[in-house]
């Protein structure tokens, strides 16, 4: 089992360019998440998908869109990248909407927007 | 006020030392509590859940104090491999599957 995989690992964009971050999990999990992590701050939730076919905004959704393509895949799109979106992006998944359900993280995508 | 607050550290301790981290959370209705570990430039990984009665996993002990709204992590007999950032995590009470992450406490264990 690969767990949660993310592509790409690194990306450099110019302001205004667009890109899609890909995430896939092979644990048959229902819920998937996108976070960003900035220095000195905790992980902040961008969007989540509680189950296939549903997506909801998290704490910092502005400038992002998501697609839950199927149960395995959850992508994050930056339509017009800005320097403020320079960050490390983590995808995560969990089994169900339960208290105490562990989230499993992918290795992250390091994004630099110039 | 942040929902989950931690001392950023770093805590610099010798091998074999005992070290403790605390974390406070703002929402008294929170029900689930965790410690995650994050190595440099890696993803967070669950270290342990925190139960009301306290729980232990080898050299690691987690405690919850609901009255004071804080969580603690005690590491005994520190190893060089314990060097990492420790994230305090609390579930978001508006939606049980959302987790709120603290910004982490950095631990450096020296030889």
């Amino acid at each position: 089992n690969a767990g949660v995989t993310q592509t790409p690992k690194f990306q450099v964009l110019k302001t205004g360019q667009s890109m899609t971050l890909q995430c896939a999990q092979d644990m048959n999990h229902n819920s998937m998440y996108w976070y960003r992590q900035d220095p000195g701050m905790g992980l902040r939730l961008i969007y989540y998908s509680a189950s296939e076919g549903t997506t909801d905004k998290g704490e910092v959704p502005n400038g992002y869109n998501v697609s839950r393509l199927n149960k395995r895949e959850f992508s994050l799109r930056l339509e017009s990248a800005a320097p403020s979106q320079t960050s490390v992006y983590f995808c995560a998944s969990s089994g169900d909407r339960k208290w105490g359900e562990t989230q499993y993280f992918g290795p992250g995508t390091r994004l630099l927007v110039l | 006020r942040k929902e989950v607050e931690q001392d950023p550290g770093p805590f610099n301790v010798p091998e074999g030392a005992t070290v403790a981290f605390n974390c406070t959370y703002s929402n008294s209705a929170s029900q689930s509590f965790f410690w995650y570990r994050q190595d440099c430039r890696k993803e967070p990984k669950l270290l342990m859940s925190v139960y009301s009665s306290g729980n232990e996993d080898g050299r690691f002990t987690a405690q919850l104090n609901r009255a004071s709204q804080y969580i603690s992590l005690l590491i005994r007999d520190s190893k060089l491999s314990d060097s990492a950032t420790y994230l305090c995590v609390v579930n978001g009470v508006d939606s049980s599957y959302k987790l709120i992450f603290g910004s982490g406490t950095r631990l450096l264990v020296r030889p």
Side-chain angles (χ1 to χ4, degrees):
Chain A
N1 279 358
V4 180
T5 57
Q6 291 183 235
T7 55
K9 287 190 169 58
F10 305 96
Q11 185 72 47
V12 178
L13 292 178
K14 294 180 180 177
T15 297
Q17 287 185 316
S18 62
M19 77 163 295
T20 299
L21 282 65
Q22 306 286 354
C23 173
Q25 52 90 10
D26 62 3
M27 296 176 282
N28 201 34
H29 282 168
N30 288 318
S31 301
M32 297 185 74
Y33 313 83
W34 276 105
Y35 293 90
R36 61 177 288 173
Q37 186 175 36
D38 301 295
M41 305 187 74
L43 286 136
R44 291 183 293 168
L45 185 64
I46 304 171
Y47 270 94
Y48 62 96
S49 171
S51 60
E52 188 178 354
T54 68
T55 60
D56 286 288
K57 294 179 180 179
E59 183 186 352
V60 288
N62 291 345
Y64 305 95
N65 284 301
V66 291
S67 295
R68 183 73 183 267
L69 304 168
N70 47 55
K71 191 170 185 180
R72 289 188 63 247
E73 298 173 287
F74 189 37
S75 63
L76 178 72
R77 182 159 178 84
L78 286 71
E79 290 291 351
S80 178
S84 60
Q85 294 178 305
T86 292
S87 189
V88 181
Y89 292 85
F90 289 102
C91 177
S93 70
S94 66
D96 209 340
R97 295 174 55 170
K98 289 184 210 173
W99 287 334
E101 190 66 36
T102 301
Q103 291 189 13
Y104 296 86
F105 286 80
T109 294
R110 284 167 174 73
L111 176 66
L112 173 62
V113 183
L114 301 173
Chain B
R1 182 186 171 188
K2 288 184 182 178
E3 291 186 75
V4 178
E5 296 208 60
Q6 297 182 249
D7 180 343
F11 285 61
N12 191 324
V13 302
E15 267 188 296
T18 296
V19 61
F21 311 135
N22 287 333
C23 157
T24 58
Y25 60 95
S26 61
N27 196 320
S28 60
S30 294
Q31 297 287 337
S32 299
F33 310 91
F34 312 90
W35 285 101
Y36 275 69
R37 172 192 167 128
Q38 186 172 25
D39 293 300
C40 187
R41 302 181 71 79
K42 299 283 190 180
E43 71 273 22
K45 292 183 180 177
L46 179 69
L47 178 66
M48 59 197 302
S49 300
V50 185
Y51 303 123
S52 297
S53 54
N55 48 300
E56 190 173 304
D57 182 1
R59 298 181 292 108
F60 298 84
T61 300
Q63 296 278 354
L64 169 64
N65 184 319
R66 285 189 185 273
S68 301
Q69 292 178 216
Y70 79 78
I71 307 154
S72 64
L73 177 68
L74 181 78
I75 305 176
R76 291 181 297 278
D77 188 22
S78 298
K79 312 291 185 193
L80 294 176
S81 57
D82 293 335
S83 296
T85 297
Y86 291 83
L87 308 176
C88 176
V89 185
V90 175
N91 79 291
V93 292
D94 56 338
S95 295
S96 61
Y97 46 87
K98 288 188 194 175
L99 297 181
I100 310 297
F101 287 78
S103 53
T105 297
R106 190 167 169 216
L107 172 65
L108 301 172
V109 181
R110 62 181 188 270

